[in-house]
Amino acid sequence: MKIKVLDPFQDAKTLWLGLDKPELNQIRKVFQLITPQTVGSKHIMAGITIFSPGEASSLHNHPESEEMDVVIKGSGEVVDGIGNRRPFKEGDYMFIPEGEYHQHVNTGNEPLWLLWCYSPQGSLPED
């Protein structure tokens, strides 16, 4: 069967980002689920990132990709490249245009689970 059913905690490529500079409070665990390496995808890349309370991604962009995010659990804010902030909550969707700088911040009291998808395939920030 060509259809894949994946368990994010067993089938994903996992990585920690932000461990090299803990003082920035940008530590998060990433589960890469839909990638060329994991399932042979050609056009999209998707996974889940989990942020503890108070943690954030780095301010980053995906120069050639649009991004869609779905908040599975928790709440927070998305910050754009000039510092504008917009709150989000469980069940919300976000659309980030190609090349737009952005940062996800967990402002809540519980872990933030963020499902993300890039198209065409992009890369994750290295920090």
Side-chain angles (χ1 to χ4, degrees):
M1 178 181 253
K2 293 182 181 182
I3 297 169
K4 309 281 189 209
V5 177
L6 305 169
D7 179 321
F9 302 107
Q10 292 183 12
D11 301 321
K13 175 185 173 193
T14 60
L15 60 142
W16 283 93
L17 297 178
L19 291 175
D20 58 332
K21 296 180 183 174
E23 68 278 7
L24 296 179
N25 212 25
Q26 296 177 348
I27 298 169
R28 65 261 187 220
K29 190 166 188 181
V30 178
F31 299 86
Q32 294 180 324
L33 287 159
I34 309 297
T35 71
Q37 295 78 25
T38 58
V39 298
S41 63
K42 296 179 183 177
H43 305 287
I44 63 171
M45 188 167 181
I48 296 171
T49 300
I50 299 176
F51 302 85
S52 291
E55 292 178 338
S57 68
S58 60
L59 182 66
H60 66 283
N61 74 343
H62 309 281
E64 309 275 325
S65 303
E66 294 180 323
E67 179 174 345
M68 181 206 65
D69 300 320
V70 180
V71 183
I72 299 172
K73 284 185 178 184
S75 61
E77 294 180 330
V78 63
V79 183
D80 70 13
I82 57 173
N84 295 313
R85 302 173 88 83
R86 175 163 283 168
F88 58 77
K89 64 188 181 325
E90 191 170 311
D92 284 349
Y93 283 65
M94 285 176 258
F95 171 72
I96 301 167
E98 180 179 298
E100 182 75 17
Y101 277 88
H102 59 285
Q103 178 182 39
H104 300 101
V105 182
N106 182 349
T107 59
N109 296 320
E110 64 179 337
L112 167 63
W113 289 37
L114 189 70
L115 181 145
W116 48 266
C117 178
Y118 314 138
S119 182
Q121 295 165 343
S123 60
L124 286 174
E126 294 300 318
D127 53 2

